[in-house]
Amino acid sequence: MNNEKKEDWALEQDLKYNRLTAFKLFAMTSSMVISVDELAPFGKTGATALFYLLIAGIAWFIPITQMAGEMASIDGWEKGGIFTWVKGSLGDKTGWTAMFYQWIHITVGMDTMMYVIIGALSITFGTPWFNTTPIVRFILMMVILWGATAIQVIGVRKIGRIAEWLFILGIATPVILLIISFFVYVIQGHPLHMTINWNTVIPHKLNGNTLVAFVPFMLAFCGGEASAPHVKNLDHIKSYSKVMLGLAVTAICFDLLGSMAIGMTVPKDQIENSTGFVYTYGKLLTSIGLPGDLLQKIVGIMLACGIIGELGNWIAGPNQGMYEAAKEGYMPKFFAKTTKHGVPLRIMVLQSSIVTISALLITFTSGADADFAFNVSLAATTAQYLMVYMIMLIAYMVLKRKHEDYHRMYYMSKNPNLSIAIAVLALIITVIAFFVTFVPAQGTPSNLRHVYVWTLIGMCAIVSILPLILYRWHEKWQSQ
């Protein structure tokens, strides 16, 4: 009886602290997917960004989110996200490997977010040395990272509420205002630094530079499935698929209009990846007769807050799935414990420790070149995340081929052959993008090109091997 009371109390606490509405889930997931991190690189790409965004959004992102919605709606697959989905189709070892890849990829992705935060603050406070002095950059990164980790103790529900407001304040509002300012800029007749027509939008040559330019557009749409472990906390589970579809449409519109606003109003050679968004604000607002220098600083603070909210959600999301894996013995039992609010804090501290190591490596390797650090962390994040999607897509194809009898509340398509064909197309895009990430981005200094390539190869090799090594102790940890 005592055990039953404890279980009832635990369930009551979980519902109390972690219940989510569809909008809160949308806000949490949006802050993982919709970001301004990639808008400056998109603007550098020019008119071709239109083509890349539509291809990545329609042929890749929408199918991925719909597949995630279908798998998350299967009876018994509500918990654990991609770990549960892949495990159900391809077995324990592969499920654990996919979960590990998803969890660890963001260790480098958080570096990218923090570089943008620091770039924004360097403009806000007029302190460019924030962005060009490695030791200062690293210290600021640690303050941001461990602060975002510490606040996780308040629970998923409160984190969701904070993420909702930070997303509106720091991501949605600045992008919407940027787009409005851009329309005013065009109406006033100011010069445009980009020409949009058939010849400029469609890439007519398929070469290394063309393919490398496409890679950041893949990352812009990564993460839609990362909040799936929270589907069990939704008021209405069936709303998950609708949230994902709404997210797809919103992400495409935000990225499309935001990148055009930057690329059309700022000359290509003046756009820097880590500071480009805030810099564009100042230049654009001044051009239309507003006090750009002052408003630029305000936007820098807003942007920093928005990305900090995004960072917090990336700490909260994948760690829920990793906690489920720890409970099943894929990690030492030490990590299978939570706070009284159901927060797997020990796993979060482990993740933030790994982020610290990757930040140390990339920040001090890049020296004063902030854009090189940004490009390496962006490429490493993309490559590692695409490894997750390769496994997820194969798992979905196996599900549709062998387990169509599993009861689910949502289908991407009732036609299994059509679903598999869509998954095959998404897989081809994913595999090509993965190998292209190892080609140095345009503008990489010649003396750092080898550093770029070998850093990526080293990171991907370590990430590939680690889950297989850890799995060898699975039975021992499971029996503890």
Side-chain angles (χ1 to χ4, degrees):
M1 188 67 181
N2 287 336
N3 287 336
E4 289 180 6
K5 286 183 177 179
K6 286 181 179 179
E7 289 176 5
D8 290 342
W9 180 84
L11 179 61
E12 183 183 341
Q13 293 301 302
D14 180 67
L15 292 173
K16 178 180 178 182
Y17 287 101
N18 297 325
R19 178 60 62 195
L20 293 173
T21 63
F23 182 74
K24 282 184 179 176
L25 182 66
F26 175 82
M28 290 179 70
T29 315
S30 295
S31 66
M32 296 178 185
V33 176
I34 301 173
S35 179
V36 299
D37 299 8
E38 299 92 7
L39 291 185
F42 292 174
K44 272 187 177 181
T45 305
T48 315
L50 286 166
F51 176 78
Y52 290 151
L53 277 168
L54 290 174
I55 291 296
I58 295 171
W60 192 79
F61 179 62
I62 290 179
I64 288 286
T65 57
Q66 295 308 293
M67 292 175 207
E70 181 172 346
M71 290 189 283
S73 73
I74 292 176
D75 291 349
W77 287 23
E78 298 90 355
K79 292 185 178 182
I82 200 166
F83 167 63
T84 302
W85 309 338
V86 175
K87 177 184 173 184
S89 293
L90 301 177
D92 287 358
K93 189 174 185 178
T94 311
W96 157 247
T97 301
M99 179 68 248
F100 185 88
Y101 287 172
Q102 186 194 51
W103 177 74
I104 204 168
H105 98 278
I106 199 57
T107 58
V108 183
M110 289 181 187
D111 294 333
T112 310
M113 296 175 206
M114 290 187 285
Y115 289 140
V116 176
I117 293 170
I118 293 168
L121 294 178
S122 71
I123 291 180
T124 297
F125 297 115
T127 51
W129 46 275
F130 276 10
N131 213 28
T132 56
T133 309
I135 185 64
V136 174
R137 203 178 347 161
F138 180 73
I139 291 171
L140 289 173
M141 290 171 78
M142 293 302 98
V143 172
I144 295 167
L145 172 66
W146 289 101
T149 302
I151 201 173
Q152 298 294 324
V153 298
I154 66 177
V156 171
R157 188 181 67 168
K158 291 182 179 179
I159 288 293
R161 188 179 303 154
I162 292 172
E164 182 180 325
W165 286 105
L166 288 180
F167 171 73
I168 293 170
L169 173 69
I171 303 293
T173 301
V175 173
I176 291 170
L177 291 177
L178 177 71
I179 293 168
I180 293 172
S181 300
F182 167 63
F183 286 138
V184 174
Y185 179 91
V186 173
I187 291 170
Q188 289 181 351
H190 295 287
L192 299 177
H193 299 282
M194 183 191 302
T195 302
I196 297 179
N197 56 45
W198 179 262
N199 292 324
T200 58
V201 170
I202 306 297
H204 296 285
K205 291 182 180 179
L206 190 63
N207 53 36
N209 289 335
T210 305
L211 293 172
V212 168
F214 178 63
V215 171
F217 294 88
M218 297 287 287
L219 183 61
F221 293 110
C222 287
E225 82 301 328
S227 63
H230 297 308
V231 71
K232 61 182 170 57
N233 298 323
L234 272 173
D235 289 333
H236 304 287
I237 292 178
K238 289 184 178 180
S239 63
Y240 178 78
S241 59
K242 296 177 182 177
V243 170
M244 292 297 105
L245 184 59
L247 176 65
V249 174
T250 306
I252 291 173
C253 291
F254 264 55
D255 287 334
L256 191 62
L257 295 173
S259 60
M260 291 300 98
I262 293 175
M264 285 187 167
T265 58
V266 180
K268 185 176 179 179
D269 59 358
Q270 293 181 23
I271 301 173
E272 292 186 3
N273 290 340
S274 59
T275 60
F277 185 86
V278 180
Y279 174 78
T280 299
Y281 245 104
K283 188 174 179 62
L284 183 56
L285 294 175
T286 299
S287 298
I288 63 176
L290 295 174
D293 289 343
L294 173 62
L295 295 175
Q296 179 186 59
K297 297 180 187 301
I298 297 172
V299 167
I301 293 291
M302 292 169 65
L303 176 63
C305 290
I307 300 179
I308 287 172
E310 179 183 5
L311 185 71
N313 271 331
W314 271 112
I315 294 173
N319 279 317
Q320 294 292 334
M322 203 64 168
Y323 167 65
E324 294 294 331
K327 286 198 299 184
E328 295 187 28
Y330 294 90
M331 294 179 70
K333 289 296 182 182
F334 173 81
F335 295 105
K337 297 184 183 299
T338 64
T339 66
K340 65 180 182 179
H341 293 166
V343 178
L345 190 61
R346 294 180 180 183
I347 292 179
M348 292 177 179
V349 170
L350 174 64
Q351 183 188 52
S352 294
S353 299
I354 298 172
V355 175
T356 300
I357 295 171
S358 66
L360 191 68
L361 172 66
I362 296 174
T363 301
F364 287 97
T365 300
S366 63
D369 194 332
D371 257 18
F372 177 77
F374 179 92
N375 289 336
V376 170
S377 59
L378 188 71
T381 304
T382 306
Q384 291 174 18
Y385 213 158
L386 291 178
M387 291 162 66
V388 178
Y389 286 116
M390 288 184 218
I391 298 174
M392 174 183 161
L393 288 164
I394 293 170
Y396 181 77
M397 287 186 277
V398 171
L399 171 70
K400 299 300 289 185
R401 178 61 65 189
K402 295 184 177 181
H403 306 296
E404 191 66 2
D405 57 321
Y406 288 3
H407 180 263
R408 66 207 74 179
M409 292 183 288
Y410 176 77
Y411 287 85
M412 179 173 72
S413 168
K414 287 292 184 76
N415 185 331
N417 292 329
L418 177 59
S419 296
I420 291 172
I422 294 172
V424 168
L425 174 61
L427 181 61
I428 292 170
I429 294 173
T430 305
V431 171
I432 292 172
F434 172 76
F435 285 107
V436 170
T437 57
F438 294 91
V439 180
Q442 276 190 313
T444 302
S446 56
N447 62 314
L448 291 175
R449 292 180 73 84
H450 284 92
V451 175
Y452 183 102
V453 174
W454 285 108
T455 298
L456 292 186
I457 291 175
M459 286 182 169
C460 288
I462 292 170
V463 167
S464 299
I465 295 169
L466 268 178
L468 303 179
I469 294 174
L470 292 172
Y471 188 79
R472 296 180 63 182
W473 283 277
H474 171 48
E475 291 185 3
K476 177 183 176 182
W477 290 332
Q478 196 174 38
S479 63
Q480 287 179 348

